[in-house]
Amino acid sequence: MTIVNLISSLNLMVSVFFIVPFICTIVVMPYLIQKLKENNIVAKDMYKANRPEIAVNGGLIILLISLLSLSVISLFYCSYILPANYVIIMVVTLFALFGILDDMVNIGRPAKLILLYYCSYSLISCATVTLVYVPFIGTVDLGIFYLQLILPLYVPVVANLVNMHSGFNGLAPGLSLMVLITLIIKTMANAGVMDILFIVCLTGSLAAYWLFEKYPARIFWGNIGALSVGAAIGATIVIEGFIFSGFVMLIPHVINFLLYVYWRLRPEKYPVAKFGKIREDGTLEVPNPLTLKWVLPYYFPMTERQGVNVMYALTGIFCIIGFMIPG
């Protein structure tokens, strides 16, 4: 088989792992939305004038369809699915279960970080290298420090960053989709996609799901979706060794977190507020500029859709930069 034929065959296989869950999610989502509403599993959309009730916990269907798709496709491509995929499945599923628990019980941030550290601990078995690219220095071997600290901590940190950078219709799923697609393409460019085929399935399902949560949203993904997809992003980064380039892709998420930290350190000046309001002209009225999605609406008249598009553009820039960085 020539190199051209090999690349063509690989692209076809990856397309199958993406398209099958995409189609399944497109088919299932209308029925799921209806059933969630019938069972009153809903939340109010706070950035609409009449605050309609929207179905929630759609993130669960992303995970379930990803699992189903991988199991069906593996009947035809079993030899291509490396063991790392099954470790990723376990990690992502544990984060999803934790998301359900977090919706039921307020665990607290310190306990959450400790528990999620051990939810991602099994990824250590998938780490084939401990080399990390450091700007201006080059590649550094971090050894046991990478395995025991960076790897299991990176995943819960990313999951929480994804969970925090949300609030507008389609914002968090859309940003996560951009990062995952960039990571998959970067992995394929390095000829190593076999160990993240489950991530390809999850990305295909997420792409279809995003069509239902983008403005105007018909469903929200909840903590289940944010934590499981965030874990998928983190797991891909650490398994492929994209520690620095992955960080670059997530810089807008990091900025959002740092703004939140500053906000919490100044409670006397910036009281706690989870949501903004909608003006009569449809523009956003936000309480402060201390989450990234509120910065521009705080200073300039802007609708929710415009605010989301700005966040997409910003993350898109950092995804391109991250893709071009070697590690």
Side-chain angles (χ1 to χ4, degrees):
M1 181 181 291
T2 66
I3 294 178
V4 173
N5 289 336
L6 182 61
I7 294 173
S8 177
S9 177
L10 177 63
N11 290 339
L12 175 61
M13 182 189 67
V14 172
S15 298
V16 170
F17 279 87
F18 183 92
I19 291 172
V20 169
F22 180 90
I23 293 173
C24 291
T25 305
I26 287 286
V27 172
V28 169
M29 283 304 300
Y31 172 78
L32 174 69
I33 292 170
Q34 179 184 344
K35 296 303 292 184
L36 288 171
K37 285 189 171 183
E38 288 175 0
N39 288 277
N40 200 35
I41 305 175
V42 295
K44 291 185 181 296
D45 189 340
M46 304 302 289
Y47 292 102
K48 302 295 183 296
N50 58 346
R51 295 189 175 181
E53 292 188 333
I54 306 296
V56 294
N57 293 338
L60 184 60
I61 202 66
I62 298 173
L63 177 60
L64 293 178
I65 288 183
S66 302
L67 293 169
L68 175 63
S69 300
L70 185 74
S71 62
V72 171
I73 299 170
S74 65
L75 297 174
F76 307 95
Y77 290 102
C78 182
S79 60
Y80 293 94
I81 303 175
L82 298 182
N85 287 280
Y86 302 106
V87 178
I88 295 174
I89 287 173
M90 182 173 68
V91 171
V92 171
T93 303
L94 284 173
F95 272 74
L97 292 174
F98 191 92
I100 297 173
L101 179 64
D102 197 34
D103 282 333
M104 298 169 58
V105 181
N106 184 12
I107 298 172
R109 293 191 183 276
K112 181 186 292 187
L113 186 61
I114 293 171
L115 291 172
L116 290 180
Y117 170 89
Y118 287 106
C119 285
S120 56
Y121 200 73
S122 58
L123 286 171
I124 293 174
S125 64
C126 301
T128 56
V129 295
T130 55
L131 302 175
V132 176
Y133 173 78
V134 180
F136 310 114
I137 297 176
T139 303
V140 179
D141 189 352
L142 297 179
I144 194 67
F145 180 78
Y146 178 84
L147 294 175
Q148 294 290 336
L149 187 61
I150 293 179
L151 190 151
L153 271 180
Y154 203 103
V155 180
V157 167
V158 170
N160 278 285
L161 289 176
V162 170
N163 197 20
M164 292 178 68
H165 195 16
S166 59
F168 292 162
N169 288 180
L171 177 60
L175 299 178
S176 299
L177 180 62
M178 295 171 69
V179 174
L180 280 170
I181 289 175
T182 306
L183 289 170
I184 290 170
I185 296 173
K186 188 176 177 73
T187 304
M188 291 180 68
N190 293 342
V193 76
M194 302 302 182
D195 51 357
I196 61 163
L197 288 174
F198 170 70
I199 299 296
V200 177
C201 282
L202 185 140
T203 305
S205 181
L206 176 61
Y209 169 84
W210 173 77
L211 298 175
F212 294 87
E213 190 174 320
K214 71 182 182 68
Y215 187 95
R218 297 169 57 189
I219 190 169
F220 297 140
W221 70 355
N223 282 336
I224 304 170
L227 291 178
S228 59
V229 173
I233 293 172
T236 305
I237 290 172
V238 297
I239 285 178
E240 300 302 327
F242 299 149
I243 300 298
F244 181 70
S245 59
F247 170 79
V248 171
M249 296 176 202
L250 293 168
I251 282 178
H253 292 75
V254 175
I255 294 172
N256 180 71
F257 170 75
L258 294 176
L259 288 170
Y260 172 80
V261 170
Y262 178 76
W263 180 3
R264 300 300 290 179
L265 292 175
R266 302 290 302 276
E268 72 287 349
K269 185 175 181 180
Y270 302 104
V272 174
K274 192 172 183 179
F275 300 102
K277 299 177 182 178
I278 190 83
R279 300 188 182 97
E280 290 185 3
D281 62 358
T283 59
L284 297 165
E285 181 181 340
V286 298
N288 59 57
L290 296 180
T291 65
L292 192 59
K293 67 179 180 292
W294 285 353
V295 173
L296 287 179
Y298 186 81
Y299 296 105
F300 306 100
M302 185 172 290
T303 65
E304 180 183 6
R305 179 179 286 177
Q306 290 171 332
V308 171
N309 287 338
V310 170
M311 294 297 100
Y312 287 167
L314 183 62
T315 292
I317 292 169
F318 283 99
C319 282
I320 293 171
I321 297 171
F323 178 81
M324 294 186 294
I325 292 173

